[in-house]
Amino acid sequence: MANNTIGTFISPTQAASNLLAFFNDNKLDPNNPTVVSGHILGLTKIKEFLQKIEAYNAANPALPIDGVRTYQARSVQTINGSSQTVDDIFLMPILSDGTDLYPVYPETTAAKVTATGDDGVILGNSRPCPNLCGGGA
């Protein structure tokens, strides 16, 4: 299956059911403000992310990006004026052959290479929800 056909739109009822299953299966209290059950990325950044993908695809038609993988992560961010370590996600473009655009997964060659300063096409530094969704920069 091509990456570009993975996923479906689901109803709000199905989304609520899936979220409840996450809480129940992991024995989590949805009312506990320290429980991270979601992440927010701004629409401006998502649009920018998609524009970068389109630009990459225009320059690389033989092996284009045709999907996005979400990785769970932990990052240090400045939120409300202080440095905090937070649960995070990042969006990794996936090439049409199923590989990550940048092989950052542990034990890959690129993961051991020093960063070149390239901002690349990875979107991260989300805000965990519900506890920091509305936090200021």
Side-chain angles (χ1 to χ4, degrees):
M1 174 193 306
N3 295 318
N4 64 6
T5 61
I6 295 173
T8 59
F9 290 97
I10 62 173
S11 70
T13 302
Q14 185 64 56
S17 176
N18 292 356
L19 187 55
L20 184 59
F22 169 79
F23 287 121
N24 290 339
D25 292 351
N26 292 291
K27 297 175 180 39
L28 298 172
D29 177 1
N31 297 310
N32 181 339
T34 65
V35 171
V36 174
S37 59
H39 296 268
I40 187 170
L41 292 163
L43 186 56
T44 298
K45 292 299 180 182
I46 291 172
K47 287 179 180 178
E48 220 177 297
F49 178 70
L50 293 174
Q51 289 170 345
K52 287 183 175 202
I53 288 173
E54 292 298 328
Y56 176 91
N57 284 349
N60 298 280
L63 189 60
I65 294 167
D66 74 347
V68 176
R69 182 172 287 127
T70 303
Y71 279 106
Q72 296 180 11
R74 185 152 291 144
S75 64
V76 177
Q77 300 179 36
T78 301
I79 300 174
N80 295 327
S82 67
S83 182
Q84 297 184 39
T85 300
V86 296
D87 289 337
D88 197 1
I89 59 165
F90 61 86
L91 305 181
M92 171 65 72
I94 304 302
L95 299 171
S96 59
D97 68 0
T99 60
D100 291 350
L101 179 60
Y102 304 102
V104 298
Y105 200 81
E107 303 304 320
T108 63
T109 303
K112 298 177 183 176
V113 175
T114 305
T116 61
D118 177 20
D119 286 340
V121 189
I122 302 171
L123 180 58
N125 289 332
S126 68
R127 291 289 172 85
C129 298
N131 52 359
L132 292 172
C133 282

